Amino acid sequence: MTLYEELKARGLIAQVTNEPEISEMINNGKATFYIGFDPTADSLHVGHFMALCLMKRLQMAGNRPIALIGGGTGMVGDPSGRTDMRSMMTVETIQHNCDCFKKQMERFIEFGEGKAMMLNNADWLMKLNYIELLREVGACFSVNNMLRAECYKQRMEKGLSFLEFNYMIMQSYDFYYLFQHYGCNMQFGGNDQWSNMLGGTELIRRKLGKDAHAMTITLLLNSEGKKMGKTAAGAVWLDPDKTSPYDFFQYWRNVDDADVLKCIRMLTFLPLEQIEEMDKWEGAQLNKAKEILAYELTELVHGKEEADKAMSAAKDIFLGGDSADMPATVLSDADFTDGQIGVLTLLVKCGLAASNGEARKLVQGGGVSLDGEKVADFKLMLDKERFTDGCVIKKGKKTFHKATLE
């Protein structure tokens, strides 16, 4: 199986502009490609995982990644997927965020001479003269076509600022500049970037001719990674000071049954043959798959030592290894109705919520787990047998409680 075929088999490629040429370049290590990262925070989050893993896969095959930090485009703000305008950041904040990104990216890709590059589009965008930019690239963009782009259409009713309207031109200029100065012949991005990316490909063709157009390739990543960035409790960061390795491990340990194999296929470096065997797993075996996913990704981001610690701590807590000193509540037969107890009643009984209303908010906010599984339904009923060996309840990130039968 070629690298390109593997990327498709893992569900990473959703749409391309020239598949035969893309496949040939990637498989033979001829691609110099870029992926953009907006510096809207001082840490990358799990929504960036797919892009980082893809960069690593391609670099391992001899292709050259460019991690493009949007220090310049960050001054404008991408309207894609937004219902309102992004808040403006200072130059100092953007630079600080860029510095933090590189430190985290170094766990995935290797920077250095002839290897991966990290560039900041502020280095060329901030120097542009407005009139010169209009004359150089303005004629290459059709306003009619721009307004048909999804990233703009969804904002037209609420109002699209002229500031944000320029974002497509700026991102397109990035590819044009990288093609000319760094030999960048390929770009990757999420599906919300498709219109912007096509704008860059078209700009190169219009400015440099058809021969140059044959050298520019646009790929579109599957959008699944975008869904991973936030949970009900907030963002899950790659920075251990924002999300501890243990909480990072638990985030992946708690993915939905329906998503675990998809995540393993797209985000881990396990062989496809092994993953195909895991496709047959069901029931309790899916919990094992979640542990594998959590361990593999924690090791990738935080290293083997932290992954081992997180795995050990999870087993201690959720498998009873060190649960003797955990606060506990003993349930009696009177606490059950027809052999069942509601999760809200359980939380109140254990002193983890003052009322059913408070307990309901905890569950709806994603703040309750039972034996490592996040509770999604506040109407959940639990069988009496569930508590025979004890059930570990987790409230928030740090509160643990054990409920047992008398």
Side-chain angles (χ1 to χ4, degrees):
M1 180 181 292
T2 67
L3 174 60
Y4 185 75
E5 289 172 340
E6 180 181 351
L7 296 180
K8 292 186 69 175
R10 289 182 180 273
L12 292 169
I13 305 295
Q15 188 175 351
V16 299
T17 56
N18 188 332
E19 189 165 56
E21 190 173 0
I22 288 168
S23 176
E24 191 275 333
M25 293 182 72
I26 288 177
N27 293 336
N28 293 286
K30 297 179 181 179
T32 297
F33 66 95
Y34 94 89
I35 297 179
F37 298 84
D38 282 336
T40 53
D42 59 0
S43 173
L44 298 167
H45 56 68
V46 297
H48 296 111
F49 230 118
M50 188 181 295
L52 295 170
C53 291
L54 180 66
M55 294 173 86
K56 182 178 178 71
R57 293 183 203 279
L58 291 171
Q59 186 177 44
M60 290 168 62
N63 299 287
R64 191 178 191 188
I66 298 175
L68 182 63
I69 305 300
T73 43
M75 298 295 291
V76 172
D78 183 3
S80 301
R82 302 282 298 189
T83 57
D84 56 1
M85 193 166 74
R86 297 175 187 269
S87 59
M88 301 292 286
M89 296 184 294
T90 65
V91 174
E92 292 76 18
T93 297
I94 291 173
Q95 185 57 53
H96 170 72
N97 294 349
C98 292
D99 295 339
C100 294
F101 279 14
K102 184 172 185 181
K103 184 178 179 180
Q104 294 169 4
M105 288 178 179
E106 286 174 339
R107 279 201 169 273
F108 293 83
I109 54 178
E110 187 176 358
F111 292 96
E113 187 68 30
K115 300 175 182 176
M117 292 180 282
M118 173 171 278
L119 302 175
N120 186 337
N121 62 17
D123 293 342
W124 54 86
L125 292 179
M126 299 292 281
K127 298 175 183 177
L128 289 174
N129 176 281
Y130 186 60
I131 299 299
E132 290 177 357
L133 176 66
L134 288 178
R135 289 178 60 85
E136 183 176 9
V137 305
C140 299
F141 288 85
S142 162
V143 172
N144 290 0
N145 289 339
M146 291 174 71
L147 291 176
R148 283 194 288 268
E150 286 300 322
C151 60
Y152 292 142
K153 280 170 61 177
Q154 61 186 350
R155 288 289 304 281
M156 291 303 292
E157 289 187 11
K158 286 201 170 186
L160 176 71
S161 71
F162 184 70
L163 175 71
E164 295 171 292
F165 189 63
N166 282 270
Y167 192 90
M168 180 186 292
I169 296 175
M170 295 176 71
Q171 182 171 329
S172 300
Y173 190 88
D174 281 342
F175 194 22
Y176 174 58
Y177 187 92
L178 291 171
F179 177 83
Q180 289 185 294
H181 293 85
Y182 295 95
C184 180
N185 51 27
M186 192 176 296
Q187 57 180 333
F188 290 74
N191 60 0
D192 58 342
Q193 299 296 314
W194 186 239
S195 297
N196 294 340
M197 294 163 68
L198 290 180
T201 301
E202 178 65 11
L203 177 59
I204 292 173
R205 187 189 71 81
R206 294 282 298 274
K207 292 296 294 181
L208 303 178
K210 293 183 178 180
D211 291 340
H213 178 255
M215 296 287 291
T216 62
I217 303 167
T218 306
L219 284 83
L220 175 66
L221 291 177
N222 189 296
S223 63
E224 292 296 327
K226 293 287 184 179
K227 302 175 184 177
M228 301 174 188
K230 293 181 181 291
T231 66
V236 177
W237 306 101
L238 306 194
D239 184 342
D241 292 331
K242 287 178 172 288
T243 299
S244 71
Y246 174 78
D247 286 332
F248 185 85
F249 181 97
Q250 286 301 318
Y251 170 79
W252 296 107
R253 175 62 182 77
N254 291 326
V255 298
D256 292 339
D257 288 356
D259 293 333
V260 58
L261 269 302
K262 184 187 299 181
C263 290
I264 288 176
R265 185 173 287 107
M266 290 193 294
L267 303 178
T268 76
F269 288 78
L270 295 176
L272 280 172
E273 295 80 8
Q274 180 180 347
I275 298 172
E276 287 169 2
E277 285 298 313
M278 295 167 69
D279 270 333
K280 304 171 186 175
W281 291 5
E282 56 186 20
Q285 288 179 305
L286 290 177
N287 287 329
K288 178 62 177 177
K290 293 178 184 182
E291 283 189 359
I292 292 172
L293 171 67
Y295 184 87
E296 291 290 324
L297 298 189
T298 304
E299 181 181 18
L300 186 61
V301 174
H302 298 295
K304 185 177 186 303
E305 182 178 353
E306 291 296 341
D308 287 340
K309 288 180 182 178
M311 174 74 86
S312 177
K315 287 185 175 180
D316 283 344
I317 292 172
F318 296 120
L319 300 183
D322 276 340
S323 62
D325 296 328
M326 191 183 302
T329 295
V330 178
L331 302 176
S332 67
D333 290 338
D335 295 315
F336 295 87
T337 302
D338 295 329
Q340 291 186 317
I341 185 172
V343 66
L344 302 186
T345 302
L346 177 66
L347 291 172
V348 174
K349 178 70 178 178
C350 292
L352 297 174
S355 65
N356 281 0
E358 181 180 322
R360 179 174 176 171
K361 289 180 181 179
L362 280 172
V363 172
Q364 290 177 322
V368 177
S369 298
L370 300 178
D371 291 331
E373 296 289 337
K374 184 161 290 187
V375 178
D377 183 4
F378 67 87
K379 297 180 181 179
L380 177 67
M381 300 299 294
L382 305 164
D383 293 332
K384 186 177 181 180
E385 291 73 21
R386 176 77 178 259
F387 303 91
T388 301
D389 297 320
C391 175
V392 175
I393 307 163
K394 182 184 178 186
K395 171 188 170 183
K397 292 184 177 181
K398 299 180 179 179
T399 302
F400 294 90
H401 196 96
K402 191 171 185 178
T404 60
L405 288 176
E406 61 180 0

